[in-house]
Amino acid sequence: MSASNPDRGQWSSKLTFVLAAAGSAIGLGNIWRFPYVTAENGGGAFVLIYLAVVILLGFPVMLLELSLGRFSQKNPVGAIRAVRRRTPWVIVGFLGVFTGVAILSYYTVVAGWTVGYLVKSIGFHLRTADFGTFIADAPVQLGYFAFFLIATVGVVAGGVRDGIERMTRILMPVLLVLMLLLIARSLTLDGAMAGLRFYLIPDFSKITSHTLIYAIGQGFFSLSLGMGAMITYGSYLSKRENLVSSAAWVCSFDTLIAFLAGLIIFPALGGAPAKGGPTLVFVVLIDIFNNMPLGHWAAILFFFLLAIAALTSTVSLLEVATAYLVDERNMSRRKAVWLVGGATALLGIPSALSQGAVGFLSRLIPKGDGHMGFLDIMDFLFGNISLTLGALLLCLFGVYVWKMRHAVAEVVQGCEGFRSWWQLWRLALMILAPLAIGTMIVYILVTGETLG
Ligand code: TRP
């Protein structure tokens, strides 16, 4: 039986779990992706819609994933099979496993940038470093990509997980304090008010058809939902834990960090950004570091913390496919990790080369006055559409196949009080999520509008 597979484990305590789940959620999605997606989608109005997405869709879906994971004690594919033995719904599980690998492949590239800039700041090269040149340098990009992927594989294979998680317990508060300092610096730069206005005052005329698509996608991405990461993490939880408060903590932490990241980036931009794109945040940050006392040290600390935050996220991305191979295919953990790592390496190479190193990979589809490269397209398809679709299918699976009474029975263990709230949960899973996501999908299908 796979349930007794010795390569499975259990969290040692609730704190370790919340830290691991928060570690998964908090990452480049908050600090790199949230500000630039906000910049591209109208600023304040986007932030407001994003908050609604987290509360109305993110939290309920997280609770569903955690409860399904703890109920089944399995990876996403196994979890669905644990509810119903032979069912086409397993496709949702497989979609999740694949999506995880796809996200990991380009996420690791961006994580490599943080390491690259850590190295640059240690060597006092921040002032002379040009970000555009850096990301267009093929050997350098492949090198940092490989480095970060190997680090991730090492952590997941070597079981030093616990150590990393304990380390984040100290590092997360440090990250928070450092972010507050950077906010203070950013707010005192020229033009800070104009930037703040763009970020905080909603201008609803800026809402386009893309706003909802990106807000939903960003919500799921940032909270690590829609592909079974939280099913997998929930599967290591004991029946005594309170899933409701765990989910609430993770959602609040994650949203706070994203919000603070915006408070660093937008004041420094001094108004509506001329151009967004995946490089925006790095360029702005480097500018801030170069313009502050002790900026050199702040940069070292910041890029170090960001790399660790990214590592706890890549670990969770790799974990899903690994848990699938260990549980369902009875593979040893080590073999599974290396296999998935190898596949990720191949899939990630075009992303690593898509920021200028290889021309056609960098300019696949025209967008606005620029282009979308391979990395951007991967991010849109997997970090956005696939997660959203996965979350929708998971909601339907939860409501109609697993059934609310079973889901509620799972959540109630560890949280008796949930009995009086579960109807709201059902409302979110059965009506709100399908309505919002369904509208979005129909819109894309009808207008044929996709990327640009
Ligand atoms: N949530 C992480 C971030 O914000 C990225 C991430 C980790 C993720 N695991 C995930 C995204 C699972 C989607 C699904 O950086």
Side-chain angles (χ1 to χ4, degrees):
M1 264 299 283
S2 50
S4 57
N5 190 325
D7 272 340
R8 285 203 125 253
Q10 204 172 50
W11 303 108
S12 47
S13 73
K14 164 154 181 183
L15 185 63
T16 327
F17 164 74
V18 171
L19 282 174
S24 163
I26 297 172
L28 298 169
N30 307 62
I31 291 164
W32 158 72
R33 203 178 191 259
F34 177 76
Y36 101 74
V37 173
T38 303
E40 285 183 346
N41 288 282
F46 179 87
V47 176
L48 213 60
I49 296 179
Y50 178 78
L51 289 178
V53 165
V54 170
I55 296 168
L56 299 177
L57 305 183
F59 175 74
V61 172
M62 183 172 293
L63 195 55
L64 179 65
E65 286 204 18
L66 290 180
S67 56
L68 183 59
R70 191 178 66 174
F71 164 79
S72 63
Q73 310 275 305
K74 290 276 162 58
N75 65 88
V77 173
I80 286 170
R81 286 189 180 138
V83 169
R84 184 169 291 179
R85 279 175 71 85
R86 298 175 66 86
T87 165
W89 286 94
V90 283
I91 291 173
V92 186
F94 284 116
L95 178 73
V97 169
F98 183 73
T99 302
V101 176
I103 295 179
L104 181 63
S105 76
Y106 68 83
Y107 194 96
T108 311
V109 173
V110 181
W113 299 350
T114 66
V115 179
Y117 265 74
L118 173 61
V119 171
K120 276 190 203 302
S121 24
I122 292 175
F124 286 92
H125 290 313
L126 213 52
R127 251 171 225 290
T128 51
D130 174 52
F131 193 70
T133 317
F134 169 69
I135 54 175
D137 188 331
V140 168
Q141 287 303 303
L142 291 174
Y144 282 120
F145 167 64
F147 172 82
F148 210 93
L149 188 57
I150 291 170
T152 306
V153 164
V155 170
V156 177
V160 286
R161 276 289 278 292
D162 233 26
I164 299 268
E165 245 84 64
R166 259 194 294 266
M167 196 160 87
T168 52
R169 185 171 165 180
I170 305 161
L171 292 179
M172 290 281 177
V174 182
L175 178 65
L176 198 69
V177 172
L178 185 64
M179 287 180 77
L180 294 176
L181 282 176
L182 292 177
I183 291 172
R185 169 70 275 208
S186 187
L187 284 174
T188 49
L189 289 168
D190 286 345
M193 276 329 273
L196 264 191
R197 230 174 281 132
F198 174 78
Y199 181 44
L200 296 180
I201 300 180
D203 172 357
F204 288 101
S205 68
K206 291 242 183 66
I207 294 188
T208 68
S209 54
H210 286 152
T211 317
L212 189 64
I213 299 175
Y214 278 96
I216 295 178
Q218 174 62 22
F220 290 140
F221 185 93
S222 191
L223 296 168
S224 300
L225 298 174
M227 48 72 74
M230 290 297 163
I231 296 182
T232 311
Y233 271 30
S235 74
Y236 306 118
L237 266 174
S238 96
K239 300 284 181 194
R240 273 166 304 153
E241 309 302 356
N242 183 336
L243 299 179
V244 181
S245 68
S246 302
W249 271 113
V250 176
C251 289
S252 326
F253 267 151
D254 187 72
T255 308
L256 176 72
I257 299 285
F259 183 74
L260 294 181
L263 283 182
I264 299 174
I265 301 301
F266 288 101
L269 276 174
K275 185 165 161 286
T279 56
L280 172 83
V281 172
F282 281 85
V283 174
V284 172
L285 277 170
I286 292 160
D287 215 40
I288 299 178
F289 291 129
N290 281 334
N291 278 301
M292 73 187 275
L294 297 178
H296 171 68
W297 298 103
I300 295 179
L301 191 56
F302 182 82
F303 286 121
F304 171 70
L305 294 170
L306 193 54
I308 298 291
L311 185 63
T312 52
S313 299
T314 52
V315 160
S316 80
L317 285 163
L318 180 57
E319 178 67 29
V320 176
T322 304
Y324 162 71
L325 292 175
V326 170
D327 289 349
E328 307 297 307
R329 306 260 150 171
N330 269 312
M331 211 177 263
S332 79
R333 196 170 177 83
R334 204 159 268 283
K335 191 167 159 205
V337 170
W338 282 103
L339 195 71
V340 182
T344 310
L346 292 180
L347 198 58
I349 289 171
S351 285
L353 298 177
S354 74
Q355 299 297 312
V358 173
F360 88 94
L361 287 175
S362 316
R363 290 184 295 274
L364 287 170
I365 300 178
K367 176 184 183 182
D369 34 356
H371 286 92
M372 283 180 101
F374 193 85
L375 189 152
D376 314 56
I377 294 173
M378 288 292 283
D379 186 35
F380 181 74
L381 290 181
F382 293 100
N384 212 326
I385 300 303
S386 180
L387 292 180
T388 308
L389 199 64
L392 170 65
L393 293 174
L394 210 65
C395 287
L396 298 177
F397 175 80
V399 173
Y400 296 106
V401 184
W402 190 27
K403 302 252 167 22
M404 288 315 284
R405 64 176 187 294
H406 294 122
V408 172
E410 184 62 42
V411 178
V412 163
Q413 299 179 53
C415 183
E416 228 1 84
F418 190 67
R419 278 193 203 286
S420 28
W421 290 97
W422 73 274
Q423 304 224 17
L424 278 179
W425 192 35
R426 182 178 64 175
L427 181 74
L429 297 180
M430 202 164 106
I431 315 276
L432 286 180
L435 206 65
I437 300 170
T439 313
M440 182 191 112
I441 292 170
V442 169
Y443 182 87
I444 293 179
L445 291 179
V446 170
T447 60
E449 186 165 358
T450 48
L451 305 167

